[in-house]
Amino acid sequence: MISQKSIELVKSTAPILQQYGETLTRHFYKRMFLSNPDVSAFFNVKNQAIGTQQRALANAISAYAENIKNLDVLHSAIDLIANKHASLMIKPEHYPIVGENLLASIKEVLGDNATDEVFNAWREAYCFLSELLINRENQIYNNNANKSGGWHGFRNFKVIKKEKESSLITSFYLQPEDKKALPHYFPGQYITLRVPTPDGFKTMRNYSLSDKPGLNYFRISIKREVALNQEIPAGIVSNILHDKIDVEDILEIGPPCGDFFLNTDEYNGKSLVLLAAGVGITPILSILNFATDNMPEREIILIYGCKNQVVQPFKHKIEALSKIHSKLRVHYRFSNPKLNDFNANQSCSIGKINMQLIESLITEKDADYYFCGPKPFMSTLFKGLLDWGIPNNQIHFEFFGPKEDLQNNSKGTLR
């Protein structure tokens, strides 16, 4: 446990961290990568380049300081971080590396504000948090290894099929090279790929499983991340997978992880509303496939937004589901449609997904809401659903990228 004196000292630094948080975390990452370059494999180069990783850590440190007197508030965040760490195979021996560089950065950046007392308090707080995370991560590792078909570490998978879903998204169908069974996973979870990079190192990325559990393969559907400008580079791993990986190739894969998934235990007759934008359809499609198979009596509404049918993945798969399942309603929202995007056989409209559209399509708002997509989409929906009167425990979301505040009282899952 942390001493009461250290708790008070850490909490007293919260205003300073809010002011200097990003300066501190930029310094920290630069310092750590220089002194321990081997840990760079655990981090996304693009997120580092555009600063989202630095902002994410700054927000996390500030939240820890602010809520250190009531750690129950941070329980969901700790579980989220532990799942992320477990997906990347973070080990106890990595924590001293992070701790040494983070504490040194606090001293170097905060200067006179980081007195010996404050420094020692943060060291105590960091050790306490490390222990919480290490224990939770060990639970996840053991659960993944001990379940039927499970494993620990990375396992070789063969690409058995590569299918183009749109101009930007391609699906990879994966089976274990050892031909042994696959574990059950929860619809909405993700796996980790470890991929060699052109510089001779390996790096890791999380990708949502885009099909239902219980099949003899995993499917991931990956968007090619193109360079937007000099500050936002192309995605290294997504382009390697699109251009270099083909059928029969072998990929290293970690077991399914993540705490964003369809909660079947809490189903009490409510409708299921699935909302997706862009590549955010991938975990939502896994949930949709599972729900239509296992809850045929449940009302399901899918609202999917993208620019147009050129970049729209899974159109034929979704339409096939809607023909089979009478309880499923689908609406497409196109922000930049082409002339042939509309036909009389589908429900669709022009614009971006917003609360006005949702309220017009949902007759019974007391439902469970699951959504995933870009940050503006997430922010709009989360705030809009709360303002509409949807209870927080009926709102479930996942954000691609490092954890960033969508709203101060957000309790969804961001990765």
Side-chain angles (χ1 to χ4, degrees):
M1 293 296 293
I2 314 174
S3 68
Q4 188 60 39
K5 181 180 179 181
S6 292
I7 288 174
E8 297 294 342
L9 282 168
V10 168
K11 186 168 177 59
S12 73
T13 65
I16 301 171
L17 292 170
Q18 288 174 359
Q19 183 178 356
Y20 295 103
E22 283 190 52
T23 302
L24 170 65
T25 54
R26 282 195 298 270
H27 181 89
F28 157 72
Y29 280 117
K30 183 177 180 180
R31 190 185 200 282
M32 183 170 66
F33 292 153
L34 282 173
S35 58
N36 302 92
D38 51 308
V39 302
S40 61
F42 297 105
F43 297 90
N44 187 311
V45 173
K46 184 176 180 180
N47 289 334
Q48 284 288 323
I50 63 179
T52 51
Q53 189 75 60
Q54 293 89 330
R55 287 191 294 275
L57 180 59
N59 289 340
I61 293 171
S62 180
Y64 185 40
E66 183 66 34
N67 295 287
I68 196 166
K69 285 187 174 182
N70 182 17
L71 291 179
D72 287 343
V73 173
L74 301 176
H75 176 76
S76 61
I78 289 171
D79 203 56
L80 165 64
I81 294 168
N83 269 277
K84 175 73 170 181
H85 284 182
S87 75
L88 298 173
M89 308 301 160
I90 299 294
K91 300 296 176 60
E93 56 264 31
H94 293 127
Y95 280 90
I97 295 172
V98 173
E100 177 186 348
N101 286 285
L102 181 59
L103 292 168
S105 296
I106 288 174
K107 195 79 170 177
E108 292 160 2
V109 173
L110 298 188
D112 292 341
N113 289 313
T115 64
D116 289 344
E117 278 192 324
V118 167
F119 180 84
N120 290 331
W122 263 104
R123 181 167 56 189
E124 188 178 342
Y126 177 80
C127 290
F128 175 74
L129 181 60
S130 298
E131 186 176 349
L132 288 179
L133 288 169
I134 288 169
N135 289 338
R136 178 67 184 111
E137 287 153 22
N138 283 335
Q139 290 178 341
I140 295 170
Y141 288 136
N142 290 333
N143 289 340
N144 285 338
N146 294 330
K147 67 172 60 173
S148 177
W151 73 94
H152 178 70
F154 286 93
R155 184 177 176 185
N156 285 343
F157 277 66
K158 181 185 291 186
V159 179
I160 62 168
K161 182 180 177 182
K162 186 177 177 181
E163 182 178 17
K164 194 174 181 66
E165 305 287 0
S166 75
S167 63
L168 290 175
I169 295 176
T170 293
S171 288
F172 296 79
Y173 292 72
L174 310 165
Q175 283 186 334
E177 188 181 34
D178 60 18
K179 302 186 186 306
K180 293 181 181 179
L182 289 173
H184 174 80
Y185 62 88
F186 297 106
Q189 289 190 301
Y190 57 87
I191 57 175
T192 302
L193 270 62
R194 185 166 66 180
V195 179
T197 56
D199 57 9
F201 294 96
K202 290 185 177 182
T203 191
M204 291 171 280
R205 295 290 185 273
N206 299 139
Y207 292 108
S208 295
L209 291 153
S210 60
D211 211 337
K212 61 190 175 185
L215 303 171
N216 66 348
Y217 60 82
F218 286 159
R219 185 180 73 193
I220 53 176
S221 304
I222 299 170
K223 177 187 175 185
R224 181 194 293 274
E225 297 291 346
V226 299
L228 299 181
N229 51 52
Q230 287 185 338
E231 287 73 37
I232 305 179
I236 294 174
V237 175
S238 69
N239 282 279
I240 289 173
L241 292 168
H242 275 254
D243 296 335
K244 305 294 185 183
I245 300 300
D246 213 334
V247 174
E248 297 296 315
D249 285 337
I250 301 298
L251 293 172
E252 293 182 304
I253 291 178
C257 282
D259 60 352
F260 170 78
F261 52 81
L262 179 63
N263 191 337
T264 56
D265 294 337
E266 294 183 359
Y267 173 47
N268 56 4
K270 290 184 174 65
S271 298
L272 177 62
V273 179
L274 304 176
L275 305 158
V279 75
I281 188 64
T282 51
I284 297 300
L285 185 63
S286 177
I287 292 173
L288 175 64
N289 286 341
F290 179 87
T292 50
D293 267 10
N294 294 274
M295 305 174 180
E297 77 291 348
R298 189 172 192 178
E299 295 281 351
I300 302 174
I301 300 98
L302 170 67
I303 303 173
Y304 179 38
C306 57
K307 287 184 178 180
N308 48 57
Q309 287 193 23
V310 175
V311 297
Q312 178 188 6
F314 309 119
K315 182 175 186 293
H316 299 300
K317 294 178 175 66
I318 293 171
E319 288 181 352
L321 283 175
S322 64
K323 290 177 182 177
I324 297 171
H325 298 277
S326 59
K327 297 285 189 178
L328 170 63
R329 290 191 289 125
V330 177
H331 183 88
Y332 298 122
R333 184 78 155 176
F334 299 116
S335 61
N336 186 21
K338 305 295 184 183
L339 288 176
N340 61 347
D341 282 347
F342 298 91
N343 63 65
N345 298 320
Q346 66 183 23
S347 173
C348 53
S349 58
I350 299 175
K352 293 186 177 182
I353 295 176
N354 53 30
M355 287 307 302
Q356 183 179 6
L357 174 69
I358 292 170
E359 292 176 29
S360 71
L361 294 173
I362 297 173
T363 54
E364 179 52 64
K365 73 175 188 179
D366 185 23
D368 290 317
Y369 296 79
Y370 288 78
F371 54 98
C372 185
K375 184 176 179 179
F377 165 83
M378 307 291 292
S379 300
T380 297
L381 263 60
F382 183 71
K383 183 178 186 304
L385 289 171
L386 288 178
D387 290 346
W388 200 30
I390 306 302
N392 212 319
N393 63 359
Q394 291 172 220
I395 300 174
H396 313 270
F397 61 86
E398 183 163 53
F399 176 72
F400 289 128
K403 189 178 187 296
E404 295 184 34
D405 286 340
L406 294 187
Q407 191 164 322
N408 289 335
N409 61 346
S410 164
K411 295 193 178 175
T413 298
L414 298 92
R415 108 168 114 80

